[in-house]
Amino acid sequence: TDPAIIRNFCIIAHIDHGKSTLADRMLQLTGVVSSRDMKAQYLDRMDIERERGITIKSQAVRMPWELDGVSYALNMIDTPGHVDFTYEVSRSLAACEGAILLVDAAQGIEAQTLANLYLAMENDMTIIPVLNKIDLPSAQPEKYAAEISKLLGCEPEDILQVSGKTGMGVEALLDKVVRDLPAPVGDPDAPARAMIFDSVYDTYRGVVTYVRVVDGKISPREKVQMMSTGTTYDLLEIGVSSPEPTPTKGLGVGEVGYLITGVKDVRQSKVGDTVTNFAKPAEKSLGGYQDPKPMVFSGLYPIDGSDYPALRDALDKLQLNDAALTYVPETSVALGFGFRVGFLGLLHLEITRERLEAEFNLDLISTAPNVVYEVMTDDRKLRTVTNPSEFPDGKILEVHEPMVAGTILAPHEFVGAIMELCQSRRGVMRGMDYLSEERVEIRYWLPLAEIVFDFFDVLKSKTRGYASLDWKADGEQISDLVKVDILLQGEQVDAFSAVTHRDKAYAYGNMMTQKLRELIPRQQFEVPIQAAIGSRIIARESIRAIRKDVLAKCYGGDISRKRKLLEKQKAGKKRMKMVGRVEVPQEAFIVALSSD
Ligand code: GTP
């Protein structure tokens, strides 16, 4: 295909602002999917995505579009919408010359969208701003057009108004994509360089790798090479999605399509890597490649110890499709055999856990998520700690913790509450800008550990749901962090060890000892429950005479959750774990580790 008739674009939008609906409408209007075949949200393939209404894996679709008598090929690249997948978003953006900035006309721009917009602007991409859901009675197009025009430095009249639902304005948008976006440029005679922007495991075909060709050409049946590792593969198939996979005679400059090499594991075909011809390899890769880096760790244990091999198999299978998932076996006194699993963020953790439970029918206990610490002891060596119970004892010279650059967008009346929250989470303010008279962008530097648990929930409740949050990894800092251990009759219960800031250690110790006092049944002897920093006891409780109901603590809350707890409790009744001489029902661990 002649690059002059190609346009590559993606859609930057906040969750629920209507990206999938708009994409579906485009597929219909361009005739690649007939209305009859149209199942809602064609692009969201995985069931779990559909269930949660979020897009995790990106894909590309090629659509024909005619303007002024010329037939164009539009490649729409889907971008994941959630903060955990920033790197994948950045690669999707890098595959495009332009982006549609899609904003719900009843909501205005949100923090993640803003972050992705900045990323696109840094990459010198052409931005087409669009207000969506213009059919809604609550739409306020003038207000939000003013906000967007201020951000982009364009005129409010230049912002298209569309409705993905009714189809209004969508044809005009496709015309604008052709007119405004530059055609891709590259050297057709150079050795091939194609960037991998997505890589998806398919049970029948193995890994399907989505690429954007920058220079040269990739042809069917040739041998290709991954530039980050030098590994070579025979191409079994090359083609474009329109939207079903359609083999082609190869992909040239500016084209977007897929490669199938018989690879079985997405880690062999890594997002961000450059693919070149083996016979005539390029000298320099395209750059921007990063290994996925797990940011949050949690221990995952089967409730039924005999499920351990099944859990390992399930993790092996999930990893085929998820290069960012890492895990190593670990054992816990309290929980038995399990795995320490690394995730990109909390959503990634939740999705993985849900998939393990739903698709593999496993019942799991997970320990409280923690971040990665670098700890320097007397030997002056930094060691990496991904499990709080392995945080070294004894003299500690330095502890480094990961930091994030957080951006919060909210109506201005909440500025005070937001600052208070960020301050209480050890945040350092970095700046504040007014997007409009009413809405503010607030920037903080925050410890990742302080935002991974409940930060977003608290932020939402303090701002009546109006604030949105985006964060990205941003260095580390040395902090006064300590490990708090929980002891039952003097024995450490590893699953409850936590690393916290020294100022928050007492609160954690009190909370945990009180929880356990209520959860652990009376024994033949008195059982002291203590929280300790090293050998110093900071909180203490003793087990009471009458065992309380595990559910007594779950005031209100949702019924299905209680029912689930009850079921687990029944199943766990017979399962007692010994911590020293103390018999602890497994349910006590489950309840104590559940976040509420
Ligand atoms: P994620 O896949 O979670 O990122 O969401 P999305 O941005 O793809 O949003 P989606 O297309 O699923 O739309 C979210 C909700 O908004 C759905 O309930 C849609 O029916 C609704 N919606 C989307 N576009 C329009 C529109 O133009 N008008 C109206 N009234 N509703 C819309």
Side-chain angles (χ1 to χ4, degrees), residues 295-370:
M295 303 289 285
V296 174
F297 284 78
S298 168
L300 286 185
Y301 292 84
I303 287 193
D304 180 346
S306 67
D307 277 343
Y308 177 75
L311 174 57
R312 187 184 41 218
D313 287 352
L315 284 168
D316 286 346
K317 287 217 180 75
L318 285 189
Q319 199 176 41
L320 294 176
N321 200 9
D322 186 351
L325 188 71
T326 60
Y327 51 92
V328 290
E330 77 174 5
T331 48
S332 149
V333 178
L335 306 174
F337 290 98
F339 294 91
R340 176 103 331 221
V341 188
F343 304 94
L344 295 173
L346 270 202
L347 182 83
H348 188 209
L349 186 163
E350 269 175 46
I351 291 169
T352 306
R353 216 195 126 141
E354 251 171 53
R355 292 189 66 186
L356 289 168
E357 298 196 319
E359 294 170 32
F360 298 93
N361 211 9
L362 292 161
D363 259 329
L364 302 171
I365 311 185
S366 50
T367 61
N370 62 272

Side-chain angles (χ1 to χ4, degrees), residues 14-21 41 44 53-55 132-133 135-136 163-165:
H14 190 69
I15 290 168
D16 278 348
H17 281 204
K19 185 176 66 180
S20 308
T21 308
Q41 310 206 338
D44 284 359
I54 46 171
T55 315
N132 191 28
K133 306 198 189 180
D135 60 297
L136 284 178
S163 164
K165 191 168 181 179

Side-chain angles (χ1 to χ4, degrees), residues 1-9 30 61-67 70-76 177-178 183-184 240 254-256:
T1 314
D2 178 1
I5 60 144
I6 299 176
R7 298 291 183 275
N8 297 320
F9 71 98
T30 56
V61 191
R62 183 175 172 135
M63 305 178 287
W65 189 247
E66 210 157 290
L67 182 69
V70 183
S71 288
Y72 292 88
L74 310 186
N75 292 307
M76 172 166 59
V177 166
V178 171
V240 297
E255 286 194 282
V256 171

Side-chain angles (χ1 to χ4, degrees), residues 95-155:
C96 302
E97 277 72 27
I100 294 175
L101 174 70
L102 188 72
V103 175
D104 187 326
Q107 306 280 333
I109 197 163
E110 305 282 6
Q112 279 156 34
T113 312
L114 191 65
N116 291 336
L117 170 65
Y118 288 153
L119 204 60
M121 286 160 83
E122 277 164 27
N123 291 348
D124 288 328
M125 291 169 68
T126 303
I127 312 287
I128 301 179
V130 176
L131 284 165
N132 191 28
K133 306 198 189 180
I134 207 73
D135 60 297
L136 284 178
S138 55
Q140 293 178 283
E142 294 78 30
K143 176 174 162 189
Y144 293 120
E147 210 171 275
I148 296 170
S149 64
K150 191 170 164 215
L151 276 170
L152 291 176
C154 65
E155 296 304 318

